[in-house]
Amino acid sequence: MRFLPSLRQRLLLLTLLTAGLTLVAAGLGLSALFREQVRQQLVERLSADLDQLMARLEVDAQGQPSVDERQLSDPRWSRPQSGLYWQVDGAGSPGRAGLLRSRSLWDEELVAPPDQPRDGELHVHELLTQRGERLLLIERWLQAQAAAQPWRVMVAADMRSLERGAQRFDAALAWSLLLLLVLLLGGALLQITLGLAPLGRLRQALAALREGQTARLEGGRYPDEVQPLVEDLNGVLERQAQLLERARAQAGNLAHALKTPLTILSQGGAAARQSPEALQELPALVQDQVQLARRHIDWHLARSRAAAAAAVQGAAGLRAPLAPVLEGLLRLMGKVHADKGLSLEHALAPALAFAGEAQDLQEMLGNLLDNACKAAGRRVMVQAALQPGRRLRLSVDDDGPGIPPTLRAAALQRGRRLDEVGPGSGLGLAIVQELAELYGGELALGESPLGGLRVQLILPAA
């Protein structure tokens, strides 16, 4: 099995790589800056020595330069191979290169790269001697009044002292950066430990939830980055608990609803065994009670399907266009109630859509249209509009007798048996209200402009 590092290990590794690369880049930059600074200081010191040397140059009557080294302040000029050297060359005089040299050069010469003579301009070079000694050399061309040709005045110093200083600085810098890296890793470890502590508490809360010790995620207040996740999880748990409780209630209601038909069938069968008259009525009794049991089962199945659809509505992005569903239902109602010669009218925008299952929309609208067609005298009107907050308002009007205001609340009571609500598609106004509420909507009864009943259905819009 391939090793997969934990989040803590990944964060530590990322911190190590980031801090390591940053410190390496910083170390290289500081080292280069220090070397450049030391080199510049050496150039400035040699420039002062060069000025001192040029001040001590003397020219005789023949135009030949001379230097009294006793007048030079640094004793290293006179000590062989001391690491500090000077030399004066005569340009344009073949065979006379190295007219004057310091005693510290002994039997060697400073061989500088070819250069164009410009009076007073300072040039800086690095060169390697025959003995392998790296020198930093600065030079200046000087045209004396009594000299026929310009002189090339050079001063050089051994760079080993510069290298030794740079190496000591690099060593101290490396140890300092290494100590800083250790401190950064320690701080990162502490920060990661404290930062991941809420996730540890969340893990313990999930374990307690899994073991049934609690019904929601506990553990106190979490950081702002984690608290929304905890609240969402608790919301999901509460929603699941509600669905579970509703399912249990539905199962209990279904079992209770089926007890009555089963009891009647049992009593009818017992009576049929004792009476010929009861035996003749048994088939009709069985058919009625089976139809009643089937309506109860259809009712509860529709409630369960709508609850499941509403639970996944936001995640699944359900969408049911309104126009095709309504037009199909109106054609169906025109055929079913053709004997009444009803005028079925509708007014809605074609872009309107319901955020839910198309089958649930058909059942709700079908039930309302069937009730309206049975109650209507001549006209049924369906209207739809989009309200603020992405809400879909459906109105079903008829010109029938309507329902008195004192009976409207009873017609919408939850849990009413289907045969108590009135004739319809088998679901009734109570289950329409149940389906609408499962989707976060509502159902309301009122007076219709046509003179009958107006049923308003509010549903979420897609």
Side-chain angles (χ1 to χ4, degrees), residues 84 117 161 178 353 387 442:
L84 185 62
S161 60
L178 181 60
Q387 291 184 326
E442 56 182 296

Side-chain angles (χ1 to χ4, degrees), residues 260-273 278 282 285:
T260 300
L262 292 176
T263 301
I264 295 175
L265 289 175
S266 177
Q267 293 175 352
R273 288 193 295 270
L282 183 60
L285 177 65

Side-chain angles (χ1 to χ4, degrees), residues 49 53 57 66-70 72 74-89 98-110 131 133 135 137 152-157:
D49 293 337
L53 176 64
L57 277 176
S66 64
V67 177
D68 187 359
E69 291 190 2
R70 292 174 299 179
L72 300 178
D74 198 326
R76 289 180 297 172
W77 300 116
S78 302
R79 189 170 65 246
Q81 300 178 358
S82 63
L84 185 62
Y85 315 106
W86 64 265
Q87 180 174 301
V88 179
D89 287 351
L99 288 177
L100 294 175
R101 294 179 297 176
S102 64
R103 293 184 181 180
S104 57
L105 276 174
W106 199 243
D107 57 350
E108 294 186 11
E109 293 183 3
L110 297 177
R131 295 184 291 105
E133 189 178 17
L135 300 180
L137 182 144
R152 193 178 189 184
V153 183
M154 296 176 286
V155 173

Side-chain angles (χ1 to χ4, degrees), residues 44 49 54 60 112 115 124 154 171 174 200 298 318 321 375 388 419 426 453:
E44 293 177 358
D49 293 337
M54 295 178 65
D60 58 15
D115 215 341
V124 181
M154 296 176 286
D298 291 341
L318 298 177
D419 55 346
L453 180 68

Side-chain angles (χ1 to χ4, degrees), residues 192-220:
I192 292 172
T193 301
L194 295 178
L196 296 181
L199 296 182
R201 288 193 286 118
L202 180 59
R203 180 180 179 184
Q204 294 176 358
L206 288 173
L209 179 66
R210 183 178 61 252
E211 295 173 0
Q213 300 176 4
T214 180
R216 55 183 286 118
L217 293 177
E218 304 294 344

